[in-house]
Amino acid sequence: AAAGAPEGCVLIAGSQTNGRGRTGRSFYSPPDTGLYMSLLLRPSRCPAQKAKKYTIMAAVAACHAIESLSDKKPVIKWVNDILCQEHKLAGILCESLYEGTRPQAFVIGFGINVFSQEFPPMDNQPGAIADFSPIAPSMSALTFALLRHLDLCLQHIDDPKGMEEYRMASCVLHHTVQIQEGNRSYPADVIGIDDDGALQIRV
């Protein structure tokens, strides 16, 4: 759809048969249990040099939207996972579409577990908004809140407050994490997150 779809086009799927996240990981997306949504942006609105911040702003927007539907404050596991009490509620995947060397479009994809369900065995510990909400969550209310907060975040993508919100919501800042570089894995202390969203570590 990105080949001819207009700026700001939003596609929502009832389920995904091949949902995926960063580094080729799969994202479990059964019917009628989650919000699976993609937003199309054009370089005319969001220049390519700002694309590295899309995941950051999308994560902040998702936290605001989820918090509005539950009584819990979600946190961000760098760089694109949204957690609540160590359960993964959502993942974000931002991709660039090129024609030659020129970016033609950017797609911000969200997978958010909304309703309680039985998850298959996974590396992470999944959960759903309904597991932490005193009332049954509304899919339409979540969709509206997510789009509203995402629009606000993208409008103010250069505002340092957005990056500060990301840092405040981070669950890895000032903690020890396991760094994976190819076949090499080692522990490191996260001492900061720079203005482009990159981890600053001390080995």
Side-chain angles (χ1 to χ4, degrees):
E7 161 78 25
C9 177
V10 175
L11 296 182
I12 298 176
S15 65
Q16 295 180 119
T17 56
N18 193 27
R20 62 189 177 87
R22 292 179 70 244
T23 65
R25 293 188 179 95
S26 62
F27 191 92
Y28 184 59
S29 316
D32 305 318
T33 58
L35 175 60
Y36 318 118
M37 184 182 82
S38 293
L39 169 69
L40 179 71
L41 300 174
R42 298 290 183 190
S44 56
R45 177 187 175 187
C46 296
Q49 61 266 29
K50 297 182 181 180
K52 63 181 70 175
K53 283 193 174 180
Y54 292 167
T55 302
I56 300 296
M57 294 297 99
V60 171
C63 282
H64 285 311
I66 292 172
E67 186 176 2
S68 71
L69 270 73
S70 70
D71 62 348
K72 304 295 183 182
K73 194 175 183 67
V75 296
I76 301 169
K77 180 181 176 183
W78 189 89
V79 61
N80 65 329
D81 288 345
I82 310 299
L83 310 182
C84 185
Q85 296 182 5
E86 299 185 359
H87 289 73
K88 180 177 175 178
L89 302 186
I92 299 163
L93 182 64
C94 297
E95 298 183 283
S96 302
L97 305 178
Y98 283 82
E99 185 175 291
T101 59
R102 297 182 60 185
Q104 297 299 304
F106 306 101
V107 178
I108 303 177
F110 295 88
I112 303 177
N113 301 322
V114 180
F115 299 112
S116 300
Q117 56 191 286
E118 290 293 329
F119 292 94
M122 297 183 183
D123 292 338
N124 53 51
Q125 189 174 11
I129 294 175
D131 300 335
F132 304 97
S133 176
I135 60 174
S138 163
M139 192 78 79
S140 58
L142 175 63
T143 304
F144 176 81
L146 181 58
L147 288 172
R148 180 167 56 87
H149 286 294
L150 184 59
D151 185 53
L152 287 171
C153 286
L154 291 177
Q155 284 184 42
H156 301 92
I157 197 168
D158 292 323
D159 190 335
K161 291 181 181 179
M163 196 64 238
E164 191 56 36
E165 283 192 75
Y166 184 86
R167 293 187 183 101
M168 290 178 63
S170 172
C171 65
V172 302
L173 189 58
H174 307 308
H175 288 79
T176 301
V177 299
Q178 199 70 17
I179 303 295
Q180 188 73 40
E181 291 183 348
N183 295 324
R184 181 187 176 211
S185 178
Y186 56 91
D189 296 327
V190 179
I191 59 174
I193 301 175
D194 71 18
D195 290 340
D196 289 326
L199 284 186
Q200 298 171 320
I201 62 172
R202 179 174 56 223
V203 179

